Amino acid sequence: MKLKRIALVVTVLSASIGIANAEQISNPPVSIPLSTKTTQLDRTQPLEVMPYMESKVTGETELSYAVMSVAKKTYNEQMLQHRDAELRMHAHIEEHNRKIRGVPQRDLIKNPYTQEEIEKQIVDAINFRESIKYPINDKEYYNHIDVDKVNDLSGFPKKIPSFAKQVDIHLKPPKAIEDGRYIQVSFTGKPSELKPYIQDAENHAKFIITKGQAERVSIKPYEDVKTNCRKYVSTILPEEWIEVTNTFNNMYQYKLALSNENIKRQVNRELSNQKNNQMGFDLEQDASQLSSDKVLSNDENKALQKKYLGYYSYKEVKRPFNAEYTFYIFKFDYLYNMFTVAGMAVNPEQTRVIYFLHTVQ
């Protein structure tokens, strides 16, 4: 490994930052390089890694996009950064509310919504709500992503290489707005083919650790945090990787939600509300009306996905990481009691690489 300068010291984490599932330290300090020799150490010794250290790569590399490394910050500096982010968020919300207040409220008696306007709003809401249930795991979709608009993928490969086999991808749908969802790009190849990707990951990594080592190494988000608690790296790394099957995700509920009968029922309800000047567009779906487990054929699901989603979404199977997997950590963030870790995992045979972005509380 090329990270001999990164040292491990005893864990001291501040209780004030709200880290959950922490354990009390009882063993004395130890400071050693994090390298392949770590596997030979006494596993009873508590170690600490400081992932806020800079990675060795600062510009764009041949295989992946540049990782946006965050400079080392103290606890107080991080808190000031969080406060500034909150102030900007509240200012944005206030500006949004000001614009809304400046728009005259529609008089539903004198200027009611037409049936076509109501139907469009209902259909748009259903399309949004239903589509975010279907992850993107299509190789061709990934190859056309504009990475400048998806900062979460910094450090991931620019394209899926032509030699790649068993390509497994799990990405946020375009309409998803939730944070903290798991992102993964995985593929297999010969060790000689994957060697440049592993070397690229090593260059980007802030620290490198096996799944087994992560069970006794704890994390230190800030340089000056001091307490009697620690959180092990193993608790913030992903426990599973995703294998994509050849079976399309079932689109029956999506199709039923957009059926003429369901749309007509919701439109009539809103027209009735409007007559009483109570237009509120309650677009929550009545689950009792859509309670069916019918499974469509693969061909029909494929056609419906192309029509409604614009991409293909397949069923996925979760596979556990064993203790011998090596993790190259590109990015580490701690914000509002949430740990976000981005990096790449490699199996012991070095025949599969798994890029991931993982958020955990």
Side-chain angles (χ1 to χ4, degrees):
M1 305 295 180
K2 296 184 178 181
L3 300 178
K4 294 182 179 179
R5 293 193 298 270
I6 296 181
L8 303 175
V9 294
V10 189
T11 302
V12 280
L13 280 179
S14 173
S16 63
I17 60 176
I19 297 178
N21 301 323
E23 298 182 13
Q24 294 295 319
I25 292 180
S26 58
N27 293 331
V30 61
S31 179
I32 54 172
L34 176 59
S35 66
T36 53
K37 296 180 181 179
T38 308
T39 56
Q40 303 172 8
L41 296 175
D42 179 2
R43 290 185 176 271
T44 63
Q45 290 284 5
L47 308 176
E48 179 191 77
V49 65
M50 298 175 291
Y52 49 73
M53 298 178 69
E54 293 287 351
S55 59
K56 298 192 295 294
V57 174
T58 57
E60 184 176 302
T61 59
E62 181 181 356
L63 300 178
S64 66
Y65 291 93
V67 175
M68 302 301 180
S69 298
V70 178
K72 181 168 59 178
K73 288 184 174 65
T74 66
Y75 174 74
N76 288 335
E77 287 172 335
Q78 289 281 4
M79 292 302 100
L80 288 173
Q81 183 182 23
H82 297 176
R83 187 188 67 180
D84 291 342
E86 285 187 341
L87 291 173
R88 289 194 299 272
M89 177 184 69
H90 289 304
H92 176 76
I93 293 174
E94 179 57 32
E95 175 64 16
H96 175 71
N97 291 338
R98 187 188 64 78
K99 289 180 178 179
I100 292 178
R101 289 192 296 267
V103 177
Q105 187 173 0
R106 186 163 181 167
D107 188 330
L108 299 180
I109 301 299
K110 296 180 180 179
N111 184 26
Y113 286 97
T114 65
Q115 180 171 334
E116 290 73 18
E117 287 177 317
I118 294 174
E119 182 173 334
K120 182 180 186 305
Q121 292 191 52
I122 290 174
V123 170
D124 288 346
I126 291 175
N127 272 322
F128 179 85
R129 182 181 59 244
E130 292 298 317
S131 66
I132 63 177
K133 300 176 183 178
Y134 297 86
I136 298 172
N137 37 38
D138 180 19
K139 171 184 174 181
E140 290 306 314
Y141 186 95
Y142 178 82
N143 284 340
H144 292 91
I145 288 178
D146 183 354
V147 78
D148 292 331
K149 297 180 180 180
V150 192
N151 292 330
D152 288 345
L153 300 186
S154 293
F156 282 52
K158 297 178 182 180
K159 304 290 181 184
I160 303 300
S162 58
F163 66 77
K165 309 294 183 184
Q166 300 179 44
V167 179
D168 299 303
I169 294 173
H170 177 97
L171 297 173
K172 297 178 182 180
K175 296 181 181 179
I177 57 174
E178 308 96 298
D179 293 328
R181 302 187 72 182
Y182 189 71
I183 295 176
Q184 180 196 107
V185 177
S186 169
F187 52 87
T188 62
K190 299 176 182 177
S192 58
E193 293 173 325
L194 295 180
K195 185 176 180 180
Y197 289 83
I198 297 174
Q199 182 62 56
D200 183 51
E202 183 174 333
N203 289 336
H204 279 89
K206 295 185 177 184
F207 69 99
I208 303 169
I209 195 168
T210 67
K211 184 72 171 178
Q213 292 165 359
E215 294 178 356
R216 65 191 182 98
V217 176
S218 53
I219 209 78
K220 182 178 181 179
Y222 313 124
E223 185 178 23
D224 57 347
V225 168
K226 296 179 181 180
T227 187
N228 292 325
C229 296
R230 69 180 173 207
K231 187 173 180 68
Y232 286 104
V233 175
S234 59
T235 64
I236 64 173
L237 291 179
E239 297 182 357
E240 302 164 318
W241 59 276
I242 295 170
E243 181 179 356
V244 180
T245 70
N246 293 322
T247 303
F248 289 94
N249 275 314
N250 192 32
M251 293 288 289
Y252 181 70
Q253 294 293 334
Y254 201 129
K255 178 182 178 182
L256 199 59
L258 285 175
S259 65
N260 290 333
E261 180 183 354
N262 185 52
I263 298 298
K264 182 179 179 181
R265 180 171 57 250
Q266 294 196 47
V267 169
N268 288 338
R269 182 182 64 190
E270 296 303 333
L271 285 172
S272 177
N273 290 338
Q274 184 173 233
K275 289 179 181 179
N276 298 319
N277 201 25
Q278 295 177 348
M279 194 69 170
F281 280 105
D282 179 12
L283 302 178
E284 288 298 322
Q285 198 157 278
D286 184 357
S288 64
Q289 300 291 339
L290 304 176
S291 56
S292 174
D293 295 327
K294 181 177 179 180
V295 178
L296 304 177
S297 69
N298 239 23
D299 288 342
E300 188 171 6
N301 281 323
K302 181 178 181 180
L304 289 173
Q305 287 187 10
K306 184 177 181 180
K307 176 181 179 180
Y308 295 133
L309 301 178
Y311 62 89
Y312 297 129
S313 181
Y314 300 86
K315 289 185 177 180
E316 300 169 339
V317 179
K318 294 182 178 179
R319 305 296 186 191
F321 286 110
N322 63 43
E324 303 306 317
Y325 272 79
T326 300
F327 286 79
Y328 298 79
I329 307 303
F330 303 156
K331 172 184 176 181
F332 175 92
D333 287 329
Y334 178 78
L335 186 63
Y336 302 120
N337 291 344
M338 301 295 289
F339 289 88
T340 299
V341 184
M344 185 187 81
V346 183
N347 65 354
E349 299 78 19
Q350 296 193 336
T351 55
R352 177 182 285 276
V353 294
I354 303 165
Y355 295 86
F356 62 88
L357 177 83
H358 178 69
T359 302
V360 64
Q361 187 166 2

